């Protein structure tokens, strides 16, 4: 008995296109043809098509199947490798479901890692602040992410300086910019003392500290207006002019509830190797 291409595809539970593709990539030998030019497939072809379909259903690629050859022996090494790959895929999907559950329960956005999403939602971040955090979560290593997460979690209930910084117009006068920089400097020093990890936050960045600094600088430059960038620049000499306080809670004259850690984070990155 001989079958046509369509018939062997139907028997094997696959498609006409799939059988033709198996021929194109060299997985299935061309059968003999009838006098009218139509292909006639036999049992050997059917067994081969069934084996290919079985292996693809298990997850093997056509290139992997080709490497196995025509032998019907169980390719144990390949099967074990596939089993390991599937286990990793299952774990990845499990983690994805956990994160998806967190996002759904907390009504969080999908652009932030799960460990940042709850705090970010509570903080009611502006679009600019959120964009900055998203960049950080993509380029920092575990050490930097822990330092920044700790800073974010310490966000106080009021933050007039942050509001002032956010509302600063691009054409703000020089005295206005200098005044804001001078009033911000004590808070930056206090937060440095409380979160010393911020000083080396990009030291373990996967792409290297230099790349992290460049990327952060580019993000700051794109997200903030010229006056805000000038305030960050003016902070550099101010921060180097005085030592850190022994402890932020005892820093004389500092109202710990008057600064936004996100503003401090910008200052930190802008003054510790990042250039804007």
């Amino acid at each position: 008995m001989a079958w046509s291409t369509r018939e062997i595809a139907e028997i094997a539970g696959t498609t006409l296109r799939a059988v033709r593709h198996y021929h194109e990539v060299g997985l299935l030998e061309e059968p003999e043809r009838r006098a009218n030019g139509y292909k006639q497939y036999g049992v050997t072809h059917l067994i081969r098509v069934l084996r290919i379909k079985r292996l693809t259903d298990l997850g093997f690629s056509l290139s992997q199947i080709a490497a196995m050859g025509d032998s019907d022996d169980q390719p144990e090494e390949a099967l074990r490798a596939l089993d390991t790959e599937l286990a990793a895929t299952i774990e990845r999907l499990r983690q994805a479901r956990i994160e998806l559950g967190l996002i759904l329960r907390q009504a969080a956005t999908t652009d932030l890692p799960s460990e940042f999403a709850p705090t970010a939602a509570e903080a009611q971040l502006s679009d600019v602040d959120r964009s900055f955090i998203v960049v950080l979560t993509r380029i920092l290593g575990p050490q930097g992410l822990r330092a920044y997460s700790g800073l974010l979690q310490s966000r106080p209930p009021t933050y007039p300086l942050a509001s002032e910084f956010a509302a600063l117009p691009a054409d703000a006068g020089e005295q206005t910019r200098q005044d804001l920089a001078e009033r911000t400097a004590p808070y930056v020093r206090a937060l440095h003392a409380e979160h010393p990890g911020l000083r080396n936050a990009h030291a373990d960045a996967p792409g290297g500290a230099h790349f992290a600094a460049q990327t952060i600088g580019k993000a700051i430059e794109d997200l903030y207006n010229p006056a805000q960038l000038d305030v960050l620049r003016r902070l550099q000499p101010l921060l180097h002019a005085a030592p850190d306080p022994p402890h932020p809670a005892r820093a004389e004259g500092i109202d710990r509830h008057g600064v936004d850690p996100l503003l401090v984070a910008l200052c930190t990155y802008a003054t510790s190797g990042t250039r804007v």
Side-chain angles (χ1 to χ4, degrees):
M1 177 177 291
W3 299 289
S4 67
T5 307
R6 185 177 301 279
E7 288 171 334
I8 198 172
E10 291 176 353
I11 295 171
T14 187
T15 64
L16 182 65
R17 182 178 180 180
V19 174
R20 288 173 174 168
H21 186 60
Y22 297 159
H23 285 307
E24 292 173 0
V25 298
L27 283 177
L28 184 63
E29 292 184 357
E30 290 284 345
E32 296 181 357
R33 294 180 180 269
R34 299 189 179 98
N36 59 8
Y38 287 101
K39 296 175 181 177
Q40 51 181 6
Y41 294 86
V43 173
T44 301
H45 298 98
L46 176 61
I47 297 300
R48 179 60 176 164
V49 173
L50 288 171
R51 184 168 187 267
I52 295 171
K53 185 176 184 302
R54 172 62 172 163
L55 291 173
T56 55
D57 288 344
L58 286 172
F60 285 102
S61 67
L62 294 184
S63 60
Q64 289 173 317
I65 297 172
M68 296 177 192
D70 296 331
S71 174
D72 288 332
D73 295 335
Q74 293 295 332
E76 183 174 349
E77 183 177 349
L79 289 172
R80 290 189 182 280
L82 178 62
D83 182 62
T84 300
E85 181 181 328
L86 291 176
T89 299
I90 291 171
E91 176 61 20
R92 179 179 58 79
L93 293 174
R94 188 183 72 83
Q95 290 295 332
R97 287 202 67 199
I98 291 174
E99 292 200 19
L100 181 60
L102 289 172
I103 291 171
L104 291 172
R105 287 195 300 274
Q106 298 164 356
T109 59
T110 58
D111 54 0
L112 291 172
S114 57
E115 62 268 27
F116 277 82
T119 307
E122 293 175 4
Q124 298 180 340
L125 304 178
S126 68
D127 291 341
V128 171
D129 286 334
R130 178 181 298 279
S131 297
F132 183 69
I133 293 177
V134 169
V135 172
L136 293 183
T137 61
R138 297 303 186 269
I139 64 171
L140 294 182
Q143 172 183 317
L145 290 175
R146 283 193 300 271
Y148 195 79
S149 178
L151 179 65
L152 184 61
Q153 290 171 10
S154 71
R155 183 187 181 101
T158 58
Y159 32 93
L161 277 178
S163 299
E164 193 172 337
F165 180 84
L168 191 68
D171 59 352
E174 181 176 349
Q175 185 57 48
T176 299
R177 288 175 275 154
Q178 181 65 24
D179 177 66
L180 181 56
E182 290 177 355
R183 287 186 290 119
T184 302
Y187 300 104
V188 176
R189 290 195 294 269
L191 266 294
H192 271 162
E194 185 176 9
H195 301 278
L198 289 172
R199 294 187 179 277
N200 298 307
H202 47 264
D204 66 336
H210 180 67
F211 173 76
Q214 281 188 324
T215 305
I216 291 169
K218 174 62 174 173
I220 292 174
E221 187 175 357
D222 287 352
L223 290 171
Y224 297 92
N225 69 41
Q228 292 167 326
L229 295 177
D230 187 52
V231 170
L232 298 180
R233 294 188 189 100
R234 289 169 184 265
L235 275 166
Q236 295 178 7
L238 294 173
L239 293 176
H240 291 297
D244 290 340
H247 190 283
R250 297 194 297 271
E252 184 178 356
I254 292 181
D255 176 10
R256 291 300 315 289
H257 295 289
V259 62
D260 182 355
L262 292 180
L263 172 58
V264 175
L266 288 174
C267 301
T268 299
Y269 286 109
T271 55
S272 61
T274 301
R275 293 291 177 265
V276 293

